[in-house]
Amino acid sequence: MQIAINDRDIDEFIGIINRIAQDHPILVDKYLQGKEIEVDAVCDGEDILIPGIMEHIERAGIHSGDSISVYPAQSLTEKTKQTIEEYTRRLARSLHVIGLINIQFIVCREEVYVIEVNPRSSRTVPYISKVTGIPIVPLAAKVIIGHKIGELGYTKGLQPEADYFAVKMPVFSFEKIRDADISLGPEMKSTGECLGIARTFDEALYKAFLGAGIKLPKFNNMILTVRDEDKPQAVEIGRRFEKIGYRIFATAGTAQALKKSGVKAIAVNKIEQETPNLMDLILGHKIDLVIDTPPQGAEHGKDGFVIRRNAVETGVNVLTAIDTAEALITSLENTDIQKLTLVNIAEI
């Protein structure tokens, strides 16, 4: 699966497909860069029970299994939540689902679109069951053998939101998979997940990052190199990292955008240029974090791939989605959270 941004991407992707005789048709969807939402529900043929609505931090285009998922949803209006509840009910009834159903939506400019509907369990079922306390697998099993939601002691529809936050964070094993490109996209690459729960969103997010092995800061040095469309957001992210004490190294284009907006940045050469360059920084073991968002579509060079692979193999944290980078700085900005130890977190 690929996202084509322009005609050149289409020509290249179709060319790759046509190298081998195809037994199946090529499926083409319209791409909407909105907020991805996920719902797991139990349907008894008439009524539904939705434990909660999960919202992804990364915008649509990154596989749901590789996205950070937040419960309760943070940015949805009450009208949008009601629409999602109604769509879930209508889809489940129309598909004659008795048991579990998983639906992925996109919310784009307050409009709700359906990505896919799966009349089965999903990877988010254990997560939403744990964080809401609603045992939806046993409930689904009872519904399948003839019980109704009302007689099982639960009210139908979307359940009340919890008074705490739960963040599901994907975990990757890129350092163990040689030559794999770690940039995220429509195809799933994560090998596990962890969970952060707290009374505040920032603390839950920080715990989730810790659980995924991202422990900052160490050296207070980072590399920032982003595609053109991410530069406005990267400038604000760079400003926030600078404010908490980070020294920012950036490639020429990103460094220029940062400096133009008043963010201090040290311009550094690309890896094919003379030293000192990005590779020297990474192999010097003094970098905490690399934020590298590769260009969308087919027009991505080998430079970024080499940077990301060497960073991962030397133990440097690498983020390839600008929304993930924004979530990370949000979790780090709270100084009280930064002082938490693993023992404190376990006790909480």
Side-chain angles (χ1 to χ4, degrees), residues 117-131:
V117 183
N118 301 301
R120 55 164 173 76
S121 181
S122 72
R123 75 178 66 82
T124 50
V125 162
Y127 161 62
I128 198 65
S129 294
K130 181 182 289 291
V131 302

PDB file of all heavy atoms in Angstrom, residues 117-131:
ATOM      1  N   VAL A 117     -14.611  -1.470   8.098  1.00  0.00           N
ATOM      2  CA  VAL A 117     -15.418  -2.106   9.134  1.00  0.00           C
ATOM      3  C   VAL A 117     -15.035  -3.574   9.191  1.00  0.00           C
ATOM      4  O   VAL A 117     -15.038  -4.259   8.170  1.00  0.00           O
ATOM      5  CB  VAL A 117     -16.927  -1.981   8.824  1.00  0.00           C
ATOM      6  CG1 VAL A 117     -17.750  -2.599   9.954  1.00  0.00           C
ATOM      7  CG2 VAL A 117     -17.317  -0.533   8.594  1.00  0.00           C
ATOM      8  N   ASN A 118     -14.696  -4.057  10.397  1.00  0.00           N
ATOM      9  CA  ASN A 118     -14.289  -5.450  10.569  1.00  0.00           C
ATOM     10  C   ASN A 118     -15.235  -6.130  11.561  1.00  0.00           C
ATOM     11  O   ASN A 118     -15.244  -5.770  12.743  1.00  0.00           O
ATOM     12  CB  ASN A 118     -12.854  -5.532  11.099  1.00  0.00           C
ATOM     13  CG  ASN A 118     -11.864  -4.859  10.153  1.00  0.00           C
ATOM     14  OD1 ASN A 118     -11.744  -5.242   9.003  1.00  0.00           O
ATOM     15  ND2 ASN A 118     -11.171  -3.842  10.642  1.00  0.00           N
ATOM     16  N   PRO A 119     -16.032  -7.095  11.129  1.00  0.00           N
ATOM     17  CA  PRO A 119     -16.950  -7.790  12.044  1.00  0.00           C
ATOM     18  C   PRO A 119     -16.222  -8.864  12.859  1.00  0.00           C
ATOM     19  O   PRO A 119     -16.460 -10.064  12.701  1.00  0.00           O
ATOM     20  CB  PRO A 119     -17.987  -8.388  11.094  1.00  0.00           C
ATOM     21  CG  PRO A 119     -17.232  -8.630   9.827  1.00  0.00           C
ATOM     22  CD  PRO A 119     -16.204  -7.528   9.730  1.00  0.00           C
ATOM     23  N   ARG A 120     -15.325  -8.408  13.704  1.00  0.00           N
ATOM     24  CA  ARG A 120     -14.476  -9.325  14.481  1.00  0.00           C
ATOM     25  C   ARG A 120     -13.811  -8.548  15.612  1.00  0.00           C
ATOM     26  O   ARG A 120     -13.995  -7.346  15.762  1.00  0.00           O
ATOM     27  CB  ARG A 120     -13.393  -9.928  13.579  1.00  0.00           C
ATOM     28  CG  ARG A 120     -12.553  -8.878  12.862  1.00  0.00           C
ATOM     29  CD  ARG A 120     -11.268  -9.453  12.301  1.00  0.00           C
ATOM     30  NE  ARG A 120     -10.540  -8.503  11.474  1.00  0.00           N
ATOM     31  CZ  ARG A 120      -9.815  -7.479  11.933  1.00  0.00           C
ATOM     32  NH1 ARG A 120      -9.733  -7.255  13.238  1.00  0.00           N
ATOM     33  NH2 ARG A 120      -9.160  -6.667  11.108  1.00  0.00           N
ATOM     34  N   SER A 121     -12.988  -9.250  16.379  1.00  0.00           N
ATOM     35  CA  SER A 121     -12.155  -8.601  17.380  1.00  0.00           C
ATOM     36  C   SER A 121     -11.006  -7.868  16.689  1.00  0.00           C
ATOM     37  O   SER A 121     -10.805  -7.994  15.487  1.00  0.00           O
ATOM     38  CB  SER A 121     -11.607  -9.644  18.355  1.00  0.00           C
ATOM     39  OG  SER A 121     -10.810  -9.037  19.341  1.00  0.00           O
ATOM     40  N   SER A 122     -10.234  -7.074  17.477  1.00  0.00           N
ATOM     41  CA  SER A 122      -9.102  -6.326  16.924  1.00  0.00           C
ATOM     42  C   SER A 122      -8.023  -6.203  17.986  1.00  0.00           C
ATOM     43  O   SER A 122      -8.228  -6.568  19.148  1.00  0.00           O
ATOM     44  CB  SER A 122      -9.553  -4.934  16.469  1.00  0.00           C
ATOM     45  OG  SER A 122      -9.814  -4.123  17.600  1.00  0.00           O
ATOM     46  N   ARG A 123      -6.882  -5.633  17.588  1.00  0.00           N
ATOM     47  CA  ARG A 123      -5.772  -5.492  18.532  1.00  0.00           C
ATOM     48  C   ARG A 123      -6.088  -4.498  19.654  1.00  0.00           C
ATOM     49  O   ARG A 123      -5.420  -4.484  20.680  1.00  0.00           O
ATOM     50  CB  ARG A 123      -4.503  -5.061  17.790  1.00  0.00           C
ATOM     51  CG  ARG A 123      -4.487  -3.604  17.362  1.00  0.00           C
ATOM     52  CD  ARG A 123      -3.199  -3.226  16.681  1.00  0.00           C
ATOM     53  NE  ARG A 123      -3.057  -3.921  15.416  1.00  0.00           N
ATOM     54  CZ  ARG A 123      -3.622  -3.521  14.275  1.00  0.00           C
ATOM     55  NH1 ARG A 123      -4.378  -2.445  14.259  1.00  0.00           N
ATOM     56  NH2 ARG A 123      -3.450  -4.195  13.172  1.00  0.00           N
ATOM     57  N   THR A 124      -7.095  -3.637  19.452  1.00  0.00           N
ATOM     58  CA  THR A 124      -7.424  -2.641  20.478  1.00  0.00           C
ATOM     59  C   THR A 124      -8.433  -3.150  21.505  1.00  0.00           C
ATOM     60  O   THR A 124      -8.710  -2.460  22.487  1.00  0.00           O
ATOM     61  CB  THR A 124      -7.980  -1.357  19.832  1.00  0.00           C
ATOM     62  OG1 THR A 124      -9.019  -1.702  18.911  1.00  0.00           O
ATOM     63  CG2 THR A 124      -6.880  -0.610  19.084  1.00  0.00           C
ATOM     64  N   VAL A 125      -8.980  -4.343  21.315  1.00  0.00           N
ATOM     65  CA  VAL A 125      -9.959  -4.880  22.261  1.00  0.00           C
ATOM     66  C   VAL A 125      -9.374  -5.041  23.680  1.00  0.00           C
ATOM     67  O   VAL A 125      -9.987  -4.601  24.656  1.00  0.00           O
ATOM     68  CB  VAL A 125     -10.565  -6.197  21.735  1.00  0.00           C
ATOM     69  CG1 VAL A 125     -11.232  -6.994  22.859  1.00  0.00           C
ATOM     70  CG2 VAL A 125     -11.586  -5.900  20.649  1.00  0.00           C
ATOM     71  N   PRO A 126      -8.198  -5.668  23.845  1.00  0.00           N
ATOM     72  CA  PRO A 126      -7.641  -5.755  25.208  1.00  0.00           C
ATOM     73  C   PRO A 126      -7.379  -4.381  25.822  1.00  0.00           C
ATOM     74  O   PRO A 126      -7.570  -4.187  27.027  1.00  0.00           O
ATOM     75  CB  PRO A 126      -6.330  -6.537  25.002  1.00  0.00           C
ATOM     76  CG  PRO A 126      -6.499  -7.240  23.702  1.00  0.00           C
ATOM     77  CD  PRO A 126      -7.348  -6.347  22.853  1.00  0.00           C
ATOM     78  N   TYR A 127      -6.935  -3.434  24.992  1.00  0.00           N
ATOM     79  CA  TYR A 127      -6.630  -2.079  25.461  1.00  0.00           C
ATOM     80  C   TYR A 127      -7.885  -1.370  25.964  1.00  0.00           C
ATOM     81  O   TYR A 127      -7.941  -0.887  27.097  1.00  0.00           O
ATOM     82  CB  TYR A 127      -5.982  -1.314  24.306  1.00  0.00           C
ATOM     83  CG  TYR A 127      -5.992   0.188  24.395  1.00  0.00           C
ATOM     84  CD1 TYR A 127      -5.338   0.859  25.420  1.00  0.00           C
ATOM     85  CD2 TYR A 127      -6.628   0.952  23.418  1.00  0.00           C
ATOM     86  CE1 TYR A 127      -5.338   2.249  25.481  1.00  0.00           C
ATOM     87  CE2 TYR A 127      -6.625   2.338  23.461  1.00  0.00           C
ATOM     88  CZ  TYR A 127      -5.976   2.976  24.500  1.00  0.00           C
ATOM     89  OH  TYR A 127      -5.976   4.353  24.552  1.00  0.00           O
ATOM     90  N   ILE A 128      -8.939  -1.323  25.145  1.00  0.00           N
ATOM     91  CA  ILE A 128     -10.132  -0.591  25.545  1.00  0.00           C
ATOM     92  C   ILE A 128     -10.855  -1.297  26.685  1.00  0.00           C
ATOM     93  O   ILE A 128     -11.480  -0.649  27.543  1.00  0.00           O
ATOM     94  CB  ILE A 128     -11.069  -0.348  24.329  1.00  0.00           C
ATOM     95  CG1 ILE A 128     -12.068   0.770  24.641  1.00  0.00           C
ATOM     96  CG2 ILE A 128     -11.755  -1.617  23.899  1.00  0.00           C
ATOM     97  CD1 ILE A 128     -11.443   2.132  24.845  1.00  0.00           C
ATOM     98  N   SER A 129     -10.769  -2.639  26.746  1.00  0.00           N
ATOM     99  CA  SER A 129     -11.363  -3.371  27.869  1.00  0.00           C
ATOM    100  C   SER A 129     -10.669  -3.030  29.173  1.00  0.00           C
ATOM    101  O   SER A 129     -11.311  -2.785  30.206  1.00  0.00           O
ATOM    102  CB  SER A 129     -11.290  -4.879  27.620  1.00  0.00           C
ATOM    103  OG  SER A 129     -12.093  -5.257  26.530  1.00  0.00           O
ATOM    104  N   LYS A 130      -9.340  -3.008  29.132  1.00  0.00           N
ATOM    105  CA  LYS A 130      -8.558  -2.734  30.338  1.00  0.00           C
ATOM    106  C   LYS A 130      -8.808  -1.327  30.858  1.00  0.00           C
ATOM    107  O   LYS A 130      -9.006  -1.120  32.058  1.00  0.00           O
ATOM    108  CB  LYS A 130      -7.065  -2.941  30.059  1.00  0.00           C
ATOM    109  CG  LYS A 130      -6.156  -2.698  31.271  1.00  0.00           C
ATOM    110  CD  LYS A 130      -4.703  -2.870  30.913  1.00  0.00           C
ATOM    111  CE  LYS A 130      -4.352  -4.311  30.655  1.00  0.00           C
ATOM    112  NZ  LYS A 130      -4.403  -5.136  31.897  1.00  0.00           N
ATOM    113  N   VAL A 131      -8.810  -0.341  29.960  1.00  0.00           N
ATOM    114  CA  VAL A 131      -8.866   1.053  30.414  1.00  0.00           C
ATOM    115  C   VAL A 131     -10.281   1.512  30.764  1.00  0.00           C
ATOM    116  O   VAL A 131     -10.446   2.521  31.445  1.00  0.00           O
ATOM    117  CB  VAL A 131      -8.232   2.014  29.382  1.00  0.00           C
ATOM    118  CG1 VAL A 131      -6.785   1.626  29.127  1.00  0.00           C
ATOM    119  CG2 VAL A 131      -9.019   2.045  28.080  1.00  0.00           C
TER     120      VAL A 131
END
